[in-house]
Amino acid sequence: MHVHFMNDSEGSDDEEHVREPASAKSAWSEAPCVPRGMSDAEMRPETRMMRGEDLPYWASHWAGTKGAFTKIPRHGLPPMYCKQQIDDYHSMDFNERLNTSSYVNVVFEPEEEQVALMGMKINLADQTVYPNSFKLHNDVVNMIARLWKCPKPSDFAETEAYAGAGTVGSTEACLLAGLTLKFRWRKWYMDRFGCNEDEVRGVYPNLIISTQFQACWEKFFKYFDVKPILITPSSKDFKITAAQVKEAIDDKTIGVVCIMGNHYGGQYDPVWDIDKVVEEVNKAKNYSVGIHVDAASGGFIAPFQAELPPWDFRLKNVLSISASGHKFGNSCCGTGWVVWRQREGLSEHVAI
C-alpha cells in the first residue's frame, strides 16, 4: 500500500480532514505526504482518510483500489503508484545479489544499465529504421562466432555477419537450433526416401540428448513434435558416451545435442568423441546427422580452457552452438545467442 504521512504543515485546511495527533508528529515529521512535483491542492482530491490502530494517516485513494492490477483499468493509474506496486512485489522477493542458484548475473556497471534503458526504445526487428542498432547486433554475433571458431561464411563480404542471432536466453537459441536440425533432416529424408512434404510431415523424428538436459528441451519435444531419445549418463561422471550415441542413431534422427556444462555439476559431454561416431555413422549409412552444442553454461568458459580438445566449430559435424549470456557471459537476464556453421539451408529470418 502506498501511504503518505502528513504533518501539520502539510495537512489540508478543510475542517473535515483530521490532523494527526501531536504525539505522532515528531515520528513522521520527515515523511513526505505529497508526491514529488505535486502540490497539496493537486493531491487533496486524490487522498482520503484511513485510520490505523493508533495513528490516523493519509494515503492516495489508489492504495485502496481493489483489483487495480488484475484487469486493465478504465483510466490509467499514476506512474508513481504503479512503480510503488512493483517495488512492493520486488521487496518481497529474495535479494537478487545473494542469488547463486539460478545462473543469472545480477551485478552491472552503471553504463550497462544506461545502455539497457536505451535499448528499450529500439525495435531491433525493424532493420530499415534502426540499421546501426542492427549492426551492433551483428557485431556481437560476430564476436561470439569467432570465439567458437566458426568458419567465415561464403557470403561474409556481402552480409558482414556470421549466421547467428541474439535470443531471449538460451531457451530461444536451443529452440531455433532444434528447428533448424528438424527442417534439415526433413529435406534429407525426402531425398532419401522419395517423399513429398506432406508425407515427410507424417514421420516422427527424434533427437538424441542426455537426461541432464535443461528444461527448454522439454518444450522443444512437446511443441515441435520431436521424440526425445534420452541417454542416461554414468553416475560417476554425468557424461554421455560416443558408444551410447552411436547405438541410438537411426534414419529418423535429426541430430545429437551435446551439453557443455550441465546444470547439475557443470560436466561437458565429450563432443570430440561424439563427432567421430557421428561421422562414422553418416558415412556408413549415408545419413546426415549433425550436432548441436548446448553451451548454455560452458559457452563462455570452454573457449578459455586450453586443455580441452576441440569441441566447437572446429569439429566437422557441429552445425550450431548456443549459449546463455546471463550465466557466464556477464550480460543481463534474458540474453542468449545461437550461431550456425553456415547460412545455407536456414530460413531467411532464422539467422537474423
Side-chain angles (χ1 to χ4, degrees), residues 105 107-118 330-332:
N105 176 46
V107 180
F108 307 104
E109 301 289 347
E111 292 80 4
E112 289 182 90
E113 297 182 354
Q114 293 168 13
V115 169
L117 290 175
M118 189 189 310
N330 285 333
S331 64
C332 64

Side-chain angles (χ1 to χ4, degrees), residues 258 260 269-276 291 293 310-311 315 318:
C258 293
M260 289 295 287
D269 286 336
V271 193
W272 42 90
D273 292 333
I274 293 171
D275 177 75
K276 293 176 183 176
I291 296 172
V293 177
W311 61 273
L315 301 178
V318 171

